[in-house]
Amino acid sequence: MGFAKAAPMIHPTEMSRRQLTVFVLILGALTAFSAMSIDMYLPAFPQMARDLKVPLGTVQLSVSAFLFGSAAGQLFYGPLADRWGRRRPLLVGLSLYVASTIGCAMVHTGGGLLLWRVVMALGGGAGMVISRAVVRDLYDTAEAARMFSLLMLVMGLAPILAPLAGGQLLLLTGWRGIFAFLGVFGLASLLAAALALPESLPVERRIRRSASDMGRVYWHLLKNRHYLRYALALGCVAGVNFSYISGAPFVFIELHGLSPQFFGVFFGVNACGLIGASQLNRRLLRRHTPAVIARSAFLVAGVAGVLLIAATATGLGGFPLQMLFIFVCLCMTGLLYPNITALALAPFDKAAGSASALLGTIQYLLGASGGALVGAFHNGTALPMTGTMALCGTLGFLAVLGAGHSKVHQHG
């Protein structure tokens, strides 16, 4: 491969505090690729449309191109990671990501932008799949949920810092500089993974599969009632978030008259709530199981979503009350992401990479569909956004209610 030799395989209990910190930072950066790649260039949309001489809708479509590219690309990394270990597919994917940022920075057509955004998603998907698989390799269900909560502390900074950094880079370098920065971020992550990320999948647990074998593994996963219900639930959580991301600029700026600067502040406050809830989850796990926390959080999110629709439809309480219910919904996703991810992957040992890949694909497909619903039903009010958030929260609660108990499966 030509990359630096991996750090030796190590068990979490054998890590020093410094090694654990580096480990968490690397995995946190890998999980943040999606948020960084989407949120950082949002302030540049008008300038990109002017420079590329395309409608603003074409630039907006590049977000969907990234989401659907991520959904498709993750399917390939899972089986590769189960066969070759976690590091090699990760390093290849990160290299592809760095190359794609150069392509985005040099593009001169709308079609070229969409193409390179798909390539960027295909590369960045490696980090999202393999970071989850590494955690599953090393931790049991409850400990994995704690680790995913810790990773959200790192990952959650992206929605806060990325739009702010993107806005500043837009002033200093133009929109092409934003993609150059993402290239530097990708390269730094590549070097850190190459030098300091230990291989978590021993050779004796690796599985060689043909293309038809890969298809059968995914089919077995989809037939697993426990896995499918938690995967659908995670997709509903993503639906809540992407509905909010898609609708918030219109609702906050156009409908309620907030300036773009204050929009960034409100966006950051909600992201802080999500981070805070994810860290509260680590304490809750000392007394409650991930399944109990997930069901309770979905119940709260569903109730808050229904109240949000009522407040939106009646105007009662105005924008402050709507913001309160939106904040509650987003805080609940901070409890849901780590617990549902851990619960979905818990039954799988050897097939953790494939299970992580399909989990990410379902998450992104349903999340992107939630965002698309907001645009499809746009009617000049906040109802499309708030209604979709409430719908996703309710469907997610129904999904986790029917999820069974986990048993470890070995798909070979």
Side-chain angles (χ1 to χ4, degrees):
M1 286 289 298
F3 292 107
K5 185 178 179 181
M9 194 172 298
I10 190 171
H11 192 273
T13 57
E14 299 172 351
M15 291 185 185
S16 66
R17 182 176 294 273
R18 177 180 176 277
Q19 287 174 314
L20 184 60
T21 300
V22 171
F23 178 72
V24 170
L25 288 175
I26 293 174
L27 291 187
L30 296 178
T31 59
F33 265 79
S34 177
M36 290 285 291
S37 300
I38 293 173
D39 295 342
M40 180 162 276
Y41 83 132
L42 292 178
F45 276 16
Q47 187 183 101
M48 293 175 68
R50 289 193 300 269
D51 288 355
L52 298 176
K53 297 180 174 60
V54 297
L56 183 61
T58 300
V59 181
Q60 292 173 328
L61 189 59
S62 66
V63 175
S64 297
F66 184 89
L67 292 175
F68 285 109
S70 293
Q74 291 185 62
L75 287 176
F76 293 97
Y77 288 110
L80 291 177
D82 287 338
R83 177 172 181 172
W84 298 106
R86 310 311 186 197
R87 282 175 44 83
R88 283 202 278 179
L90 174 63
L91 299 180
V92 170
L94 294 181
S95 299
L96 182 62
Y97 180 89
V98 173
S100 70
T101 60
I102 298 172
C104 286
M106 299 178 64
V107 76
H108 292 285
T109 65
L113 174 65
L114 297 179
L115 173 63
W116 281 113
R117 285 290 288 174
V118 171
V119 177
M120 179 181 286
L122 295 176
M128 293 179 275
V129 169
I130 292 171
S131 60
R132 291 190 297 263
V134 168
V135 173
R136 174 60 188 87
D137 290 338
L138 299 177
Y139 298 94
D140 62 21
T141 305
E143 286 298 324
R146 291 189 183 92
M147 178 55 69
F148 285 128
S149 296
L150 192 57
L151 295 184
M152 287 194 71
L153 180 61
V154 181
M155 181 186 71
L157 293 175
I160 301 173
L161 300 179
L164 298 176
Q168 293 304 310
L169 285 170
L170 189 63
L171 293 175
L172 296 173
T173 66
W175 64 268
R176 298 182 189 277
I178 294 175
F179 287 105
F181 178 87
L182 287 173
V184 173
F185 172 73
L187 182 60
S189 299
L190 170 64
L191 293 175
L195 294 172
L197 185 67
E199 175 59 65
S200 63
L201 186 68
V203 174
E204 62 272 15
R205 286 173 51 196
R206 298 178 189 179
I207 307 170
R208 294 185 177 273
R209 295 191 182 100
S210 64
S212 60
D213 290 335
M214 290 164 51
R216 281 193 292 270
V217 169
Y218 284 135
W219 177 242
H220 283 302
L221 288 169
L222 290 173
K223 290 195 301 180
N224 184 292
R225 178 173 170 269
H226 168 97
Y227 175 83
L228 182 59
R229 284 187 174 271
Y230 280 123
L232 292 175
L234 191 65
C236 290
V237 178
V240 171
N241 272 328
F242 283 119
S243 300
Y244 163 71
I245 291 171
S246 298
F250 170 77
V251 172
F252 288 10
I253 298 174
E254 300 294 330
L255 202 58
H256 292 286
L258 296 183
S259 69
Q261 290 73 29
F262 273 108
F263 169 73
V265 172
F266 275 92
F267 207 86
V269 168
N270 287 326
C272 286
L274 187 152
I275 295 173
S278 70
Q279 299 316 294
L280 173 63
N281 185 58
R282 297 171 61 200
R283 293 182 176 272
L284 292 175
L285 284 165
R286 296 173 185 171
R287 297 186 177 183
H288 306 286
T289 65
V292 168
I293 297 172
R295 286 194 295 269
S296 301
F298 256 132
L299 179 60
V300 173
V303 172
V306 172
L307 294 175
L308 175 60
I309 293 178
T312 304
T314 63
L316 182 66
F319 182 59
L321 187 60
Q322 293 177 35
M323 272 299 303
L324 173 62
F325 291 136
I326 290 173
F327 180 77
V328 172
C329 287
L330 295 175
C331 283
M332 291 304 100
T333 66
L335 296 175
L336 290 166
Y337 269 121
N339 290 304
I340 293 178
T341 301
L343 287 164
L345 298 180
F348 306 100
D349 186 7
K350 292 183 179 178
S354 298
S356 172
L358 185 59
L359 185 67
T361 295
I362 294 172
Q363 175 186 340
Y364 272 79
L365 285 176
L366 293 184
S369 298
L373 279 177
V374 175
F377 289 96
H378 177 74
N379 61 358
T381 74
L383 279 173
M385 180 188 80
T386 58
T388 306
M389 290 176 68
L391 175 64
C392 291
T394 302
L395 292 177
F397 177 64
L398 294 176
V400 296
L401 278 183
H405 297 288
S406 65
K407 294 180 181 179
V408 175
H409 294 280
Q410 307 288 353
H411 288 300

